Amino acid sequence: MSEDVAPAPVPALAEAASDPLPATALAASASDPALAAPVPDPALAATIYGPGSASAALLAIHGITANGRCWDTVAALLPERRILAPDLRGRARSSALPGPYGLRRHASDLAALLDADGGGPRTVLGHSMGAFAAVALAAARPDLVAELVLVDGGFPLPLPSGVRSAEELDIAALLGPAAQRLAREFADEDAYLDFWRAHPAFARDWSPAVEAYARHDLDGAAPHLRSSTVAAAMVQDGGELYGPDWYVAALRGLRMPVTVLRAPRGLLDTEPLYAPGALDGFLDLVPQLRIVEVDDVNHYTILFADRGARRVAAAVDDRP
């Protein structure tokens, strides 16, 4: 069953936003998805939002070519909550961390981040591919996950028409402009911001949060600026979003509360990742699943636009 959540009024972004700070944590061995003994290097970089308290932080995981600053708008609506928003391996400030990549490698990295933060169960949010990484983390280390909030992701995507297996997919073609930018250079920061301003998803929703997210992604020096996302990471991670057997088993084994928020429009502000009613088909796998329909957003603006971020924040706080 789908469920609507009406969020309570929240402060404006400019009033609620906190200054993100860099952070690092121990990273785990790539050979064991269940997390081998941690080693001191390499380490994920993260943005920390909210008060400097000792309370257990929320973990917020970004999407396939994104970075931790995608959570700026949501974090501004939860000013009392401490939030860890890492840059995943192969992205932004963690782009130099080597492969292999994949959802279980990310889960291992994320478990090390939470262990370094004191361990213990906490709410884990994930957007897009980050929602899949959140499920992988919950399966490998359920002791670290009290609740999952999955934002337009986390459930196996349908294969495009005519494609028989994930191995046949052209991940870059499916992602459109977000992937195309990885092969480009930009003369200066303004040129890169102009690229994002022209993206169909942000046609009516450009904001300081989108600009900060875009700037955080840049690597190199003018006139040879480029996105920091490693193309190989995008391809390897993208191939695991279509329901390999181990992932379906991970979903089936979830025992904590799970909420998924669905956007009615997709990456290009057109067809959604999940058709209306498609998420209901996963209730047999995850009986405790709560489905929240979010109106008038696409795959990006469910996080970046205030109207979408309010719904995500409401799901975190479980406000009526």
Side-chain angles (χ1 to χ4, degrees), residues 18-26 43-50 52 68-69 72 82-87 92-94 113 117 216:
S18 59
D19 292 330
L21 300 172
T24 58
L26 299 181
L44 290 182
T47 299
I48 302 175
Y49 301 93
R69 294 299 299 272
D72 276 19
R82 192 166 65 91
I83 302 173
L84 299 179
D87 297 333
R93 305 298 187 266
S94 301
L113 178 72
D117 190 55
H216 190 69

Side-chain angles (χ1 to χ4, degrees), residues 157-166 168-171 173-174 242:
L157 300 175
L159 289 168
S161 177
V163 176
R164 292 170 297 179
S165 70
E168 298 179 7
L169 290 168
D170 184 341
I171 299 297
L174 292 171
Y242 295 84

Side-chain angles (χ1 to χ4, degrees), residues 45-62:
T47 299
I48 302 175
Y49 301 93
S53 66
S55 61
L58 308 180
L59 176 66
I61 312 168
H62 65 72

Side-chain angles (χ1 to χ4, degrees), residues 44-45 59-71 84-94 103 106 110 125-134 213 216 229 237 303-304:
L44 290 182
L59 176 66
I61 312 168
H62 65 72
I64 192 165
T65 71
N67 63 68
R69 294 299 299 272
C70 72
W71 297 99
L84 299 179
D87 297 333
L88 294 178
R89 182 177 295 267
R91 284 83 171 176
R93 305 298 187 266
S94 301
L103 298 177
H106 295 311
L110 293 165
L125 300 87
H127 173 241
S128 191
M129 185 274 287
F132 290 80
Y213 160 80
H216 190 69
T229 296
D237 294 344
L303 281 192
F304 285 98

Side-chain angles (χ1 to χ4, degrees), residues 89-185:
R89 182 177 295 267
R91 284 83 171 176
R93 305 298 187 266
S94 301
S95 63
L97 302 186
Y101 307 97
L103 298 177
R104 289 175 285 190
R105 183 76 185 269
H106 295 311
S108 182
D109 288 341
L110 293 165
L113 178 72
L114 295 185
D115 283 338
D117 190 55
R122 71 271 310 282
T123 298
V124 176
L125 300 87
H127 173 241
S128 191
M129 185 274 287
F132 290 80
V135 170
L137 171 66
R141 290 289 305 274
D143 59 301
L144 296 174
V145 182
E147 175 187 14
L148 288 171
V149 177
L150 310 177
V151 184
D152 213 32
F155 292 89
L157 300 175
L159 289 168
S161 177
V163 176
R164 292 170 297 179
S165 70
E167 289 72 25
E168 298 179 7
L169 290 168
D170 184 341
I171 299 297
L174 292 171
L175 291 175
Q180 293 163 13
R181 81 187 197 277
L182 306 190
R184 293 183 53 182
E185 287 189 344

Side-chain angles (χ1 to χ4, degrees), residues 31 93 99 134 150 172 179 195 199 234 239 273 289 291 302:
S31 62
R93 305 298 187 266
L150 310 177
F195 169 88
H199 194 293
M234 173 191 72
L273 264 67
L289 178 64
I291 302 169
I302 196 171

